[in-house]
Amino acid sequence: MQIQSLSVVYDENITAVDGLDLDIPPGEFVTLLGPSGSGKTSILMALAGFVRPSSGHVFVDSRDLLALPPNERNLGLVVQSYALFPHMTVEQNIAFPLRMRNWKQTDIDQAVRQAVRMVQLRGYEKRKPGQLSGGEQQRVALARATIFDPPVMLMDEPLGALDRQLRDQLQSELKAIQQRTGITTLYVTHDQDEAMALSDRIAIMRDGSIEQIASPQELYERPRNTFVAGFLGESNVLQGTIHLTGNRVELETDAGWRLPLADASGAGDRHRVHAQIRPERILVEEDPMDVHTTAEVIDQSFAGEMIRLTVRVPSGEQLAIKRQNSGRTSDFQPGRQVTIGWALQDMMVLRD
Ligand SMILES: Nc1ncnc2c1ncn2[C@@H]1O[C@H](COP(=O)(O)OP(=O)(O)OP(=O)(O)O)[C@@H](O)[C@H]1O
Ligand SMILES: [Mg+2]
């Protein structure tokens, strides 16, 4: 699917989607991740035909989607609020797209049996949506959206209404179904863990356009700017200026802390920069460390598989540190002086 210069403008002045370009090769799973109001739903609604874009083209198998009425676009659509037909049973709901396409009854029966098995709802065929849990309803919606083997599936926070445990379980089922069917998928969430678990690529959205699109790992390891870095995972961000002496690059933070940097190419030609380091990349009392400093522990908290520390360095800046809870992790009570440090390349310079 190729989305070209797609714009959605509401009420003549609210630009929800701003000239979006996005090329999704067949079979790829792409997630739109971004804050509330960044235009995620508007993109999906424009593709599905429920909102009229003010400009753009969308090609699926070389036909221009936007020229077709919604019912001829042949897309699988799953939204947050199930949207099942309440008066129909599970199997009637799942069969609906095939009935609309005038399939033969025997073919419908066979496809529905297979779909019911795929979403693990055997025994529930005769129930109506009102007799199902949220997770079960969402699985019916998923089966209904994929049964006609659409070339593209659009999903808008399909797991948003479910609790954590059910969401994790459905996440893996969803991924398995997508991989088995190979349906090109455009997915929307504002849950970064979900996005990282499911996606081949994630597009970080801001104000109707893409800030950065890349694999989950690349986005996490090499965010282009502070917005992306802050949106995906936690990070310590220090503000300061860059100093070049010979071939050494240093950051001087606003509080006066001088730190060596591997390189400052991320800053372009700017002197004022943000430098970022992830909390799990800061080591405590370990040798050897490229960059190190003393620090005072000011807080220690337990977060299940992680222990979180907050430390204050001599310049006064505070850093968050995450340590694996290995069971042998030493105890760093507030007030304790420690040595912290990191590998040189783990601190990155970012644009605003
Ligand atoms: N029907 C509408 N009329 C006018 N403005 C709208 C309409 N729908 C959405 N908007 C505006 O367009 C922008 C994008 O909205 P959209 O629903 O696409 O965001 P979103 O990224 O899906 O947010 P969320 O994460 O909250 O679902 C917002 O500023 C919103 O207020
Ligand atoms: Mg939305």
Side-chain angles (χ1 to χ4, degrees):
M1 174 164 66
Q2 285 96 40
I3 302 174
Q4 297 171 354
S5 317
L6 183 72
S7 291
V8 175
V9 179
Y10 296 108
D11 304 332
E12 287 173 15
N13 60 6
I14 304 169
T15 303
V17 182
D18 195 5
L20 181 89
D21 292 308
L22 178 58
D23 198 344
I24 310 179
E28 198 183 32
F29 194 122
V30 170
T31 295
L32 305 174
L33 178 68
S36 190
S38 56
K40 307 180 298 293
T41 297
S42 300
I43 294 169
L44 260 49
M45 290 299 106
L47 298 181
F50 302 134
V51 159
R52 184 190 295 278
S54 58
S55 67
H57 294 282
V58 179
F59 295 99
V60 175
D61 301 334
S62 74
R63 35 170 214 147
D64 192 348
L65 212 61
L66 301 184
L68 300 169
N71 61 335
E72 286 174 28
R73 294 191 184 188
N74 204 31
L75 304 167
L77 182 65
V78 185
V79 294
Q80 182 169 8
S81 56
Y82 327 125
L84 300 175
F85 302 113
H87 58 286
M88 292 187 193
T89 63
V90 165
E91 54 186 11
Q92 287 166 344
N93 263 286
I94 297 175
F96 184 79
L98 304 183
R99 270 191 218 301
M100 296 295 289
R101 288 167 174 78
N102 297 315
W103 280 37
K104 279 205 322 245
Q105 189 59 45
T106 49
D107 293 341
I108 292 180
D109 291 344
Q110 196 193 343
V112 169
R113 259 200 310 280
Q114 195 189 337
V116 164
R117 213 175 317 130
M118 179 176 76
V119 295
Q120 302 182 22
L121 281 176
R122 260 151 82 182
Y124 293 72
E125 291 90 338
K126 306 291 178 209
R127 292 209 205 174
K128 297 206 169 139
Q131 300 165 303
L132 299 174
S133 75
E136 289 157 359
Q137 291 182 52
Q138 205 51 294
R139 281 189 249 167
V140 176
L142 191 59
R144 190 181 60 180
T146 51
I147 194 164
F148 56 98
D149 201 12
V152 174
M153 185 152 61
L154 307 175
M155 293 197 262
D156 195 354
E157 307 205 30
L159 311 181
L162 310 176
D163 69 39
R164 183 82 250 169
Q165 210 180 347
L166 196 53
R167 211 153 66 190
D168 289 347
Q169 184 197 336
L170 275 186
Q171 249 175 45
S172 352
E173 284 176 23
L174 192 101
K175 183 75 190 168
I177 289 169
Q178 194 267 340
Q179 282 176 337
R180 193 156 355 125
T181 55
I183 301 175
T184 307
T185 302
L186 187 56
Y187 191 90
V188 166
T189 182
H190 51 232
D191 179 333
Q192 46 166 292
D193 294 331
E194 186 170 301
M196 288 199 269
L198 288 172
S199 320
D200 296 314
R201 283 189 301 161
I202 300 173
I204 303 284
M205 299 290 305
R206 169 153 70 166
D207 298 339
S209 46
I210 295 176
E211 280 293 299
Q212 188 175 1
I213 178 165
S215 70
Q217 188 174 3
E218 191 180 336
L219 274 185
Y220 189 83
E221 308 277 355
R222 255 178 281 289
R224 178 178 297 166
N225 56 30
T226 49
F227 180 81
V228 176
F231 208 81
L232 210 60
E234 199 185 343
S235 51
N236 292 293
V237 178
L238 297 167
Q239 270 196 60
T241 47
I242 295 279
H243 294 273
L244 296 166
T245 24
N247 51 11
R248 275 166 38 119
V249 188
E250 275 188 324
L251 172 75
E252 180 174 6
T253 69
D254 292 348
W257 184 14
R258 278 185 92 110
L259 289 166
L261 295 169
D263 78 297
S265 52
D269 54 6
R270 260 170 270 192
H271 284 288
R272 295 236 6 113
V273 295
H274 290 88
Q276 175 212 249
I277 185 159
R278 299 284 186 190
E280 71 275 14
R281 295 293 172 87
I282 304 180
L283 309 172
V284 186
E285 301 290 358
E286 273 177 48
D287 284 329
M289 299 187 275
D290 296 346
V291 182
H292 47 84
T293 176
T294 56
E296 180 188 346
V297 177
I298 58 175
D299 186 49
Q300 175 178 237
S301 67
F302 177 73
E305 78 263 31
M306 290 286 184
I307 309 260
R308 267 184 70 92
L309 294 179
T310 308
V311 302
R312 184 166 42 221
V313 298
S315 57
E317 274 128 332
Q318 295 191 4
L319 299 172
I321 301 177
K322 284 186 191 161
R323 316 181 69 228
Q324 199 75 41
N325 180 9
S326 64
R328 289 175 283 107
T329 311
S330 353
D331 197 22
F332 294 116
Q333 289 297 329
R336 187 164 155 189
Q337 292 292 322
V338 292
T339 302
I340 62 162
W342 54 83
L344 197 59
Q345 70 276 9
D346 282 341
M347 181 165 277
M348 279 176 295
V349 172
L350 302 174
R351 277 183 290 164
D352 281 341

